Amino acid sequence: MSFTVAAFYQFAALPDFRELREPLRAICAGLELKGSVLLAHEGINGTVAGSEAGIGGLIAELRDGPLFGGRLDRLELKFSGAGHMPFRRLKIRLKKEIVTLGDPVADPTRQVGVYVDPADWNALIAAPDTLVIDTRNEFEVAMGTFPGAIDPGIRNFGQFRDFATQRLDPAKHQKIAMFCTGGIRCEKASAWLLARGFAEVYHLKGGILKYLEGVPEAESRWRGECFVFDDRIALGHGLRERRREHASDE
């Protein structure tokens, strides 16, 4: 049996996020989905797997259902497949942030960098005046990246602030392009950089996954595989999966 995997997020004001947890758990369980969803005051971030109909049902509930009341109308979505169920259970978690940076000035609902479609990414990162930064953790970068991109050498995304403070200068680095797995970390990072005076900040819309899905391999500048946080471990061009036994779903 094959499964559909949906990765999604949106920064949106959810002051009632604690009250959303159990109703959302009931919806996912009723649709026989497994995976992980984070809820916070600033929005939602999740990856879940199930049947195509089950995934479709959840997306319809998120976008148009009464639980969120139209607040997730700009949901960033990416779909892929799995030959086996890539999650062991369903987890709905409450968090301070849906992606942890630890600085309230990084607010993507107020300001964010320029979104770059995958079709336009190659030209941007090839420009000699563009500083390209991989915002992911160092073990993710080791599995695959865009050649020439800076690896911040961080163990978790919260350390990106230290990297940027020590290594980046608004006066010197006037055109920055960033990328991450699905786009969410770059939204936070770009909001933080803009708040710190960086004038021209770009990020890959939909992240590496959208790039691997839409850009033909013959035209791709990506090298290696993209780590994903489920039992598939990594995806390649066309979002083809590589699966290892006994992998963690964390």
Side-chain angles (χ1 to χ4, degrees):
M1 179 180 178
S2 61
F3 295 87
T4 299
V5 182
F8 55 87
Y9 76 87
Q10 183 177 330
F11 288 97
L14 300 178
D16 56 339
F17 71 97
R18 293 180 178 84
E19 289 72 41
L20 298 172
R21 182 183 189 179
E22 291 310 317
L24 181 59
R25 185 196 304 278
I27 289 171
C28 291
L31 294 169
E32 299 183 338
L33 304 179
K34 294 182 180 181
S36 179
V37 181
L38 307 181
L39 290 168
H41 192 282
E42 66 179 4
I44 189 170
N45 178 23
T47 304
V48 296
S51 67
E52 182 177 358
I55 292 294
L58 174 63
I59 299 308
E61 287 283 355
L62 295 177
R63 283 175 164 168
D64 305 313
L67 183 60
F68 289 93
R71 291 176 289 178
L72 300 183
D73 58 340
R74 295 179 294 102
L75 203 63
E76 177 67 42
L77 274 167
K78 286 161 288 295
F79 297 104
S80 55
H84 300 79
M85 168 53 74
F87 297 101
R88 295 187 177 94
R89 57 192 180 277
L90 173 66
K91 296 177 288 187
I92 312 293
R93 293 175 170 173
L94 303 180
K95 294 284 188 177
K96 291 183 178 180
E97 300 176 74
I98 55 174
V99 58
T100 303
L101 188 59
D103 191 333
V105 305
D107 183 358
T109 65
R110 295 194 312 181
Q111 62 178 351
V112 73
V114 178
Y115 297 98
V116 181
D117 287 333
D120 301 320
W121 182 250
N122 287 354
L124 174 65
I125 65 175
D129 60 338
T130 302
L131 181 70
V132 185
I133 302 174
D134 191 331
T135 66
R136 300 172 304 151
N137 302 338
E138 57 186 355
F139 77 91
E140 298 174 77
V141 178
M143 294 186 68
T145 191
F146 290 101
I150 291 176
D151 173 10
I154 57 180
R155 295 185 303 277
N156 60 71
F157 182 59
Q159 295 177 340
F160 179 83
R161 291 181 301 155
D162 294 334
F163 156 76
T165 300
Q166 296 168 11
R167 299 272 303 276
L168 303 181
D169 181 350
K172 180 180 178 181
H173 305 115
Q174 299 182 1
K175 185 177 179 182
I176 295 175
M178 298 183 295
F179 62 93
C180 56
T181 306
I184 188 170
R185 283 178 274 189
C186 288
E187 292 211 32
K188 267 286 181 80
S190 70
W192 191 88
L193 289 176
L194 290 170
R196 289 293 186 269
F198 291 84
E200 205 170 344
V201 183
Y202 301 84
H203 48 93
L204 178 59
K205 182 172 175 56
I208 301 162
L209 295 181
K210 209 65 164 181
Y211 182 92
L212 293 177
E213 179 184 27
V215 176
E217 187 169 358
E219 302 172 15
S220 174
R221 296 176 66 93
W222 176 262
R223 296 295 180 269
E225 294 178 304
C226 179
F227 179 85
V228 290
F229 292 87
D230 59 59
D231 277 5
R232 295 173 299 171
I233 301 298
L235 300 178
H237 287 95
L239 300 185
R240 294 187 296 270
E241 68 174 298
R242 182 190 70 174
R243 188 175 187 276
R244 292 177 181 175
E245 296 299 326
H246 310 301
S248 172
D249 66 347
E250 294 293 325

